[in-house]
Amino acid sequence: MQTPISCSPHPSRYTELSSGADPGHGIEAVWVSVADKARAHRVLPDGRCDIILRFCAKVRPINSITVVVTGPTTRHYDVLVEPGMGFAGIRLRPGFFYPILGLSPGLLRDGNLMGEAAIGACPQLADLCAEATSPDDLPGRLVAFVQHRIALGHSLPPIKTLRILSALHASGGRLAVQDIARMQDISTRTVQRIVRDATGLPPKSYARILQFHRALRLLRDHHLRPSEAAFEAGYADQAHMTHALRDFGGLSPARMGDVTLVTLGD
């Protein structure tokens, strides 16, 4: 039986819920959003895969739910939303996408599966689209789905994989593959294969995304000057960081805009 996860009142922008995260089962965050007006929502690359339920919050019961599975992205994109359009999502930790869905994240790089395409790839996703009484039912439904998939005996990522990913995160993407290989006493090629299999991205691309997010946090949350943020994030200079902000987010240090940052675990 799934445990309800309240998201009332329904947030009008991307909001991570305080409950639901379960790193041991691959759940990095549970999030919701119900649009209160027509707008474009910018999605930044984070090297993650999400399972999302799209619905109309204007009707009760909710009987038209579309499941969307997103792959790891390497560039920003905008999602156009209309008033009342709702989303409930679960962001998976790197390394858990294949164990939970049986899909390789690399196959969905910079792409997604929606509706029947997602269900065709993983038929069990159809259960997520059953009628719901309210939006509050959907986050708990997603959490229960993931926990059930793990409980069925689907293998978890190897400890070595999790250690390698953790090392990359702890360094903010600054640790070289050669250094990780030395720390784990394995070859550089093995590290590259492990990261690519777990995230769907080459190690260099994944590391650059982590570095990008670290720079955003330093600029927005810690209010560092651009030159200081560039140094702390490990960029060669401010120009290098500015180039990364533009490439990954369409942003600049002086024009961050109303950027939404997600929580990235290890």
Side-chain angles (χ1 to χ4, degrees):
M1 182 177 180
Q2 71 185 46
T3 302
I5 300 177
S6 178
C7 53
S8 298
H10 305 131
S12 60
R13 58 175 296 162
Y14 172 93
T15 301
E16 295 179 358
L17 304 181
S18 58
S19 59
D22 184 356
H25 286 87
I27 301 172
E28 189 166 77
V30 181
W31 58 270
V32 294
S33 176
V34 177
D36 58 356
K37 60 183 178 181
R39 61 187 176 89
H41 173 73
R42 174 147 300 184
V43 179
L44 302 178
D46 58 18
R48 287 352 190 221
C49 299
D50 288 50
I51 305 173
I52 302 170
L53 300 179
R54 187 184 68 191
F55 59 94
C56 177
K58 294 181 177 180
V59 299
R60 298 291 189 280
I62 299 173
N63 52 22
S64 182
I65 299 173
T66 301
V67 62
V68 183
V69 177
T70 66
T73 57
T74 58
R75 56 181 180 268
H76 68 272
Y77 61 95
D78 293 332
V79 176
L80 301 178
V81 297
E82 298 293 333
M85 184 180 293
F87 302 87
I90 196 164
R91 188 165 63 255
L92 301 178
R93 288 181 65 194
F96 282 82
F97 190 68
Y98 183 82
I100 291 170
L101 292 179
L103 303 172
S104 170
L107 296 177
L108 288 182
R109 178 177 175 178
D110 290 318
N112 62 67
L113 294 173
M114 184 178 298
E116 292 302 321
I119 293 171
C122 180
Q124 293 78 9
L125 289 170
D127 296 337
L128 295 174
C129 301
E131 183 178 284
T133 303
S134 81
D136 284 352
D137 296 340
L138 302 181
R141 181 180 293 184
L142 285 162
V143 170
F145 171 81
V146 170
Q147 292 176 338
H148 178 66
R149 296 287 289 176
I150 295 295
L152 287 176
H154 294 256
S155 59
L156 297 175
I159 293 298
K160 189 176 291 294
T161 295
L162 298 180
R163 286 176 177 169
I164 289 172
L165 295 174
S166 181
L168 274 170
H169 274 266
S171 70
R174 292 171 292 179
L175 195 59
V177 169
Q178 294 88 340
D179 294 331
I180 296 176
R182 193 177 306 111
M183 291 166 54
Q184 297 295 324
D185 194 27
I186 56 178
S187 69
T188 298
R189 183 167 296 181
T190 299
V191 173
Q192 293 172 333
R193 175 183 56 77
I194 287 174
V195 174
R196 188 185 295 270
D197 288 349
T199 68
L201 300 172
K204 186 174 182 180
S205 297
Y206 186 66
R208 289 184 64 213
I209 289 172
L210 296 179
Q211 189 179 28
F212 162 70
H213 276 267
R214 176 169 172 77
L216 289 179
R217 290 286 182 189
L218 292 169
L219 288 165
R220 195 196 69 172
D221 298 347
H222 297 277
H223 309 293
L224 295 189
R225 293 196 299 265
S227 59
E228 295 172 331
F231 176 78
E232 290 294 333
Y235 289 102
D237 50 38
Q238 183 177 330
H240 188 199
M241 180 186 71
T242 300
H243 181 76
L245 294 179
R246 183 174 62 250
D247 278 0
F248 284 124
L251 306 168
S252 75
R255 299 182 62 183
M256 295 288 289
D258 188 23
V259 62
T260 298
L261 299 183
V262 301
T263 298
L264 300 183
D266 61 1

